[in-house]
Amino acid sequence: MEKVMEGNVAHLSGRVLAGPAFNHKTYGEAFYLIMLGVFRKSGYEDRIRLIVSEKLMGGRSPKEGELLDILGQIRTYNREVDGRNKLDVTVFVREMEYRQEAGFEHENSIAIEGFLCKDPVRRTSPLGREICDLMIAVNRMYNKSDYIPSIAWGRNAIYAESLRVGDKVAVEGRLQSRDYRKFTEEGYLVTRTAYEVSVTKIEMV
């Protein structure tokens, strides 16, 4: 398990918001989508999408409101939406435990190691904070890679701007969901959700 998880570890503890809903089937095994709510210290709730195999659920479906502690990996997939590619960001669950209310604390801890596959883009937020957008390619088994959008803040943003495509980096942070609004080509205003790693620590490897 340690070898499988190398370079891409997600530890989440939160409350089930929805699910499970059938997602796909691979080699005869069904996988389900579960929405997990994880609160930040600020009180904002990140809504994280989990992919869980039927074998891991062991014949029992997590119900809305139940508490879960999971260990897994960030996975990304491209799918076509309205003629355009959309990056789906999920957490593929490797281990899962049910938890009780007593002593429960929300947890959202991400550690990834990979290569920058786009030049960093530094900008300033509407509130005046320095931000740097990153795209990190994390290799996994069978010659596949996950392309994980990440965002650095403050001093980390200033440091990240100096990095270049091909640099190998180690990143720690949390997986966050962020709602945003945009106009479609037809002129409709829609709300969509972006998923990214909010970086608390970044360094070259």
Side-chain angles (χ1 to χ4, degrees), residues 62-97:
K63 296 180 176 61
E64 185 176 334
E66 287 193 300
L67 301 173
L68 293 180
D69 185 90
I70 73 101
L71 190 65
Q73 296 174 295
I74 297 178
R75 295 283 176 86
T76 63
Y77 306 90
N78 273 311
R79 65 184 175 96
E80 191 173 300
V81 179
D82 299 329
R84 295 184 178 182
N85 280 335
K86 180 180 184 299
L87 189 69
D88 273 348
V89 181
T90 63
V91 172
F92 184 84
V93 178
R94 295 282 186 183
E95 299 177 4
M96 182 175 75
E97 290 185 7

Side-chain angles (χ1 to χ4, degrees), residues 7 110-115 136 159 163 167-173 199-205:
I110 303 296
I112 58 175
E113 191 172 294
F115 300 87
I136 302 171
Y159 170 74
L163 301 172
D167 285 345
K168 188 175 184 180
V169 295
V171 166
E172 295 177 11
V199 177
T200 56
K201 182 180 179 181
I202 181 171
E203 58 185 7
M204 284 189 64
V205 177

Side-chain angles (χ1 to χ4, degrees), residues 2 9-10 12 15 20 33 39 41 58 60 63 66 72 74 81 99 103 150 159 162 165 168 174 178 187 190 200-201:
E2 288 182 3
V9 179
L12 303 173
R15 190 179 301 275
L33 178 68
F39 279 105
K41 291 181 180 179
R60 182 190 173 205
K63 296 180 176 61
E66 287 193 300
I74 297 178
V81 179
R99 298 287 300 277
S150 305
Y159 170 74
S162 68
V165 170
K168 188 175 184 180
R174 72 169 186 271
R178 174 174 53 84
V190 296
T200 56
K201 182 180 179 181

Side-chain angles (χ1 to χ4, degrees), residues 33 43 148 184:
L33 178 68
I148 301 175
T184 64

Side-chain angles (χ1 to χ4, degrees), residues 113-152:
E113 191 172 294
F115 300 87
L116 287 186
C117 54
K118 290 184 178 179
D119 279 327
V121 177
R122 183 175 161 190
R123 54 194 172 90
T124 304
S125 76
L127 297 177
R129 293 189 68 186
E130 294 293 331
I131 302 173
C132 193
D133 296 310
L134 307 165
M135 184 65 78
I136 302 171
V138 178
N139 296 329
R140 58 179 158 103
M141 297 172 66
Y142 310 116
N143 295 318
K144 293 184 178 180
S145 297
D146 294 294
Y147 297 90
I148 301 175
S150 305
I151 184 167

Side-chain angles (χ1 to χ4, degrees), residues 175-200:
L175 181 59
Q176 66 180 22
S177 61
R178 174 174 53 84
D179 290 337
Y180 65 97
R181 301 171 74 185
K182 66 174 293 183
F183 285 98
T184 64
E185 291 182 351
E186 295 77 20
Y188 297 106
L189 185 63
V190 296
T191 299
R192 293 179 176 165
T193 303
Y195 297 90
E196 61 212 355
V197 171
S198 179
V199 177
T200 56

